[in-house]
Amino acid sequence: LKVCGPLNGDDVTAIRAAIASHFTSLDLSDARITAEGKFVYSGSSYPMKADRIVRSMFAGLGTLQSVVLPGSITDIETYAFQNCTHLAGITIPAAVDTIYGHAFAYCYDLVPEFADGSQLVYIGANAFFSCHNMQQVALPNTVRAIGESAFSSCSALTTINIPSSLTEIPEKLFNNCSKLDDITIPAGIQEIGNNAFYNCASLTSITIPDGVKEIPNAAFSLCKSLVSVTLPATVTSIGNDAFSSCSS
């Protein structure tokens, strides 16, 4: 389904209905999202905002497999694509600076890509939660902050980069990413949150950079393949169960 021109709330309601009954792809490359009107989803009305994929805009469209977004989009709001369980292909436009919490949660088949020149700054909590079949992610180095559990329970994830602009690995960021076997913590990281790598059962080695003062509770618990840990002299505290059940 290709849609061109300005889109208002009534248009989005119609697009949702069309996808639910007939289509698996949506091309909005020649569309412009306006602030006019509201769309209806699951009995509730949601206001439109110019150049934003607003809250729940395409949520729950289980047949949707691919989306091309307008290049003018600046924000992807909370629950925007949540429960699009078969959504596999999407490129985040370069102008997007914020992906809000739960935006792509439970998009099991998702393989996100980021356009060249990405201006992405923030990824919200649980943004990619439980994207079970996601295997690799290349995050832009423009990202300055990531919310907790953003990639939690991405059980097929093997490789992801932590942007060098980050200073904190938040709580449960890679919790239950059981296939994650390759991760580099950049030098700028100062804090690691509780359960950050909990049950990363395939992780074999980790090097904590200078400046980190605490290995918090359950940070690497159940990392059953972990055989090598390098800690800097700056670490003065190791929390409860930080390395529990690291049986290797």
Side-chain angles (χ1 to χ4, degrees):
L1 175 63
K2 183 174 178 65
V3 182
C4 303
L7 296 184
N8 61 29
D10 289 340
D11 296 325
V12 172
T13 299
I15 290 168
R16 289 185 56 88
I19 291 171
S21 59
H22 296 293
F23 298 97
T24 60
S25 64
L26 177 63
D27 184 350
L28 299 177
S29 57
D30 293 323
R32 184 72 184 242
I33 294 174
T34 73
E36 296 179 12
K38 298 179 180 181
F39 69 92
V40 177
Y41 166 56
S42 193
S44 298
S45 297
Y46 296 87
M48 298 287 288
K49 299 176 187 176
D51 296 326
R52 290 183 174 223
I53 304 299
V54 295
R55 180 185 178 101
S56 300
M57 192 169 187
F58 298 109
L61 293 173
T63 60
L64 187 62
Q65 296 179 16
S66 65
V67 177
V68 180
L69 296 175
S72 57
I73 293 298
T74 60
D75 297 83
I76 299 175
E77 294 191 357
T78 304
Y79 309 122
F81 292 94
Q82 179 170 282
N83 282 321
C84 290
T85 53
H86 293 292
L87 180 61
I90 192 167
T91 298
I92 309 301
V96 171
D97 60 28
T98 302
I99 297 173
Y100 286 85
H102 296 268
F104 295 98
Y106 305 105
C107 292
Y108 299 137
D109 293 335
L110 189 68
V111 182
E113 296 186 2
F114 299 87
D116 291 342
S118 175
Q119 300 172 32
L120 186 64
V121 173
Y122 178 68
I123 298 172
N126 297 286
F128 295 95
F129 180 84
S130 202
C131 292
H132 289 318
N133 296 321
M134 181 190 298
Q135 296 183 11
Q136 296 184 349
V137 180
L139 295 175
N141 273 323
T142 52
V143 175
R144 297 177 187 171
I146 300 177
E148 67 178 60
S149 300
F151 293 94
S152 180
S153 297
C154 292
S155 54
L157 185 66
T158 61
T159 304
I160 186 171
N161 63 303
I162 299 175
S164 58
S165 48
L166 287 186
T167 59
E168 176 186 3
I169 296 174
E171 183 173 338
K172 298 181 181 178
L173 181 59
F174 300 113
N175 181 60
N176 289 322
C177 291
S178 57
K179 296 290 181 64
L180 185 65
D181 60 6
D182 183 16
I183 193 78
T184 299
I185 300 179
I189 294 295
Q190 300 293 305
E191 295 182 38
I192 298 173
N194 292 341
N195 300 83
F197 295 91
Y198 179 90
N199 195 30
C200 288
S202 298
L203 195 64
T204 58
S205 66
I206 196 78
T207 299
I208 308 298
D210 286 338
V212 173
K213 297 179 180 179
E214 178 185 10
I215 308 300
N217 297 340
F220 297 96
S221 181
L222 286 175
C223 291
K224 297 178 181 179
S225 300
L226 192 63
V227 295
S228 174
V229 178
T230 302
L231 300 179
T234 53
V235 170
T236 58
S237 174
I238 296 178
N240 294 332
D241 298 317
F243 295 98
S244 70
S245 299
C246 293
S247 52
S248 292

